[in-house]
Amino acid sequence: MVRKVVAYELLSLDGVAERPDEFITEFDDAMRDNLARVIATQDAVLLGRRTYDDWAEFWPASDIEPFASFINGVEKYVVTSTTPEATWANSRVVDGNLAEFATELRRQSGRDIGLHGSIALTQSLLEQGLIDELRLVIAPALQMNGRKLFDRGLSTRLTLTRNVTSPSGYLLLDFRVAG
């Protein structure tokens, strides 16, 4: 059985993924429950270098649950061409071809492989057909400026598998990626 790669992304209504702290202004119980549901199936995470650098500085000292315990304890694979300066428990640098690494990781036994933040990495894996599911949190906000998650790549058909509106008005959407 092949493991799934599941991308969890926070977006503004206009698709901006960069600096989600600027448009995710509330994190209600439905959003916390949704995040707990997403990470409960994951035992490995792929991170891009920029996300790794930011998170390695923040999450080891954080008590924001349920994510802090998860991200600090999970196996983290950092996709970068250089070794990060910051060390973080259970982190390894991905050597070589990303598509080959992701394909091999999917073949290994285990649970889902998470992909959190990491805009360029998510875009790259989507383009290569290596993401199985998207779990999106859409904020009721227009950000206008910042990198968008879906501004490049191939057209892809998605199948909505779950949709919830949080009490704060955030859309919690799960999609299966056609492939």
Side-chain angles (χ1 to χ4, degrees):
M1 182 169 144
V2 175
R3 296 165 78 182
K4 293 186 297 187
V5 175
V6 178
Y8 174 83
E9 297 289 341
L10 308 174
L11 306 175
S12 63
L13 187 59
D14 56 339
V16 173
E18 187 174 38
R19 296 182 312 277
D21 57 313
E22 293 181 7
F23 52 84
I24 302 286
T25 55
E26 297 180 55
F27 212 85
D28 60 38
D29 287 342
M31 295 166 72
R32 247 183 301 288
D33 291 348
N34 182 61
L35 176 57
R37 179 185 62 84
V38 170
I39 62 178
T41 65
Q42 299 176 0
D43 65 1
V45 170
L46 292 167
L47 294 173
R49 174 63 183 269
R50 188 180 305 179
T51 300
Y52 175 87
D53 286 345
D54 290 346
W55 288 14
E57 204 173 292
F58 178 82
W59 285 108
S62 175
D63 62 356
I64 300 170
E65 297 298 348
F67 201 70
S69 294
F70 164 75
I71 198 65
N72 288 317
V74 75
E75 189 74 30
K76 292 169 282 294
Y77 298 95
V78 186
V79 179
T80 179
S81 57
T82 58
T83 302
E85 290 180 25
T87 57
W88 190 7
N90 306 312
S91 298
R92 295 193 335 206
V93 171
V94 173
D95 291 324
N97 181 288
L98 171 60
E100 290 174 9
F101 178 82
T103 300
E104 180 55 35
L105 189 59
R106 290 173 81 202
R107 287 186 188 128
Q108 294 174 10
S109 64
R111 302 178 81 200
D112 292 346
I113 302 158
L115 180 53
H116 298 264
S118 307
I119 298 166
L121 178 57
T122 301
Q123 290 170 334
S124 179
L125 290 172
L126 266 172
E127 289 171 1
Q128 296 177 62
L130 293 171
I131 293 182
D132 301 289
E133 294 181 13
L134 291 169
R135 309 260 172 103
L136 306 178
V137 174
I138 311 292
L142 299 174
Q143 189 64 9
M144 304 310 238
N145 297 309
R147 291 186 303 152
K148 295 186 176 191
L149 184 62
F150 305 116
D151 67 350
R152 64 174 230 221
L154 307 171
S155 296
T156 303
R157 182 71 190 157
L158 305 175
T159 302
L160 182 67
T161 58
R162 181 177 185 270
N163 63 309
V164 173
T165 302
S166 83
S168 303
Y170 292 81
L171 300 176
L172 313 176
L173 307 173
D174 291 0
F175 293 95
R176 187 173 53 252
V177 180

